[in-house]
Amino acid sequence: MNSHIAAVEALLASLPGDVAYGDATGHTPPYVLLWSSAGNAGLEASVTGESGMSDLLGVTWVHATPRNALALAALGRPLLDGVKPTVTGRSVLLTLESSEPVRVDRDVTLTTTNTHPAYIVDRFRLVSVPA
């Protein structure tokens, strides 16, 4: 799964801010947080086959305000949805499967503005089969 995450990070490199995986400690908005399981072999076995993998990749778009979070997601989604990330020896496809409404994280306060960041959570289906 590490090579798949690295390929997705590369796809998002043109966005403003950082791209983090699993933990965004120390990052300030804007940033994108990726998260996943270790990959589910056998999930959707009829599609992927024995050596395939299908999993949901979480993508959290984080910015200083709800409208900015919407704008960041609007920039980032086309970089991922329907895209085939390059992973050596694999054929990979990402498709947007679900999206949650924009939310404000009241547990975090931005020190420069004394406001709370906003975020949107998307889930992308990642299907990977041998090339």
Side-chain angles (χ1 to χ4, degrees), residues 1-12 19 21 34 36-39 51 53 57 80 84-94 126-131:
M1 188 63 145
N2 276 332
S3 57
H4 293 78
I5 298 300
V8 172
E9 288 172 328
L11 292 172
L12 297 172
V19 178
Y21 178 76
L34 303 175
S36 70
S37 75
S51 59
M53 176 178 65
L57 174 67
L80 301 180
K84 296 180 178 184
T86 302
V87 178
T88 302
R90 309 293 295 179
S91 177
V92 182
L93 176 64
L94 286 170
L126 183 149
V127 176
S128 176
V129 295

Side-chain angles (χ1 to χ4, degrees), residues 5-77:
I5 298 300
V8 172
E9 288 172 328
L11 292 172
L12 297 172
S14 65
L15 291 177
D18 295 326
V19 178
Y21 178 76
D23 180 17
T25 302
H27 294 274
T28 56
Y31 64 87
V32 179
L33 176 64
L34 303 175
W35 44 280
S36 70
S37 75
N40 290 308
L43 182 64
E44 296 183 6
S46 63
V47 174
T48 64
E50 287 299 315
S51 59
M53 176 178 65
S54 176
D55 204 358
L56 289 174
L57 174 67
V59 181
T60 305
W61 314 98
V62 182
H63 215 303
T65 68
R67 287 185 187 263
N68 287 350
L70 286 173
L72 182 61
L75 286 173
R77 284 179 182 151

Side-chain angles (χ1 to χ4, degrees), residues 35 56-62 66 69-74 77 96-104 118-124:
W35 44 280
L56 289 174
L57 174 67
V59 181
T60 305
W61 314 98
V62 182
L70 286 173
L72 182 61
R77 284 179 182 151
L96 181 61
E97 186 158 298
S98 67
S99 183
E100 297 178 12
V102 65
R103 294 186 176 129
V104 173
Y119 64 96
I120 298 168
V121 175
D122 285 345
R123 301 291 299 263
F124 287 82

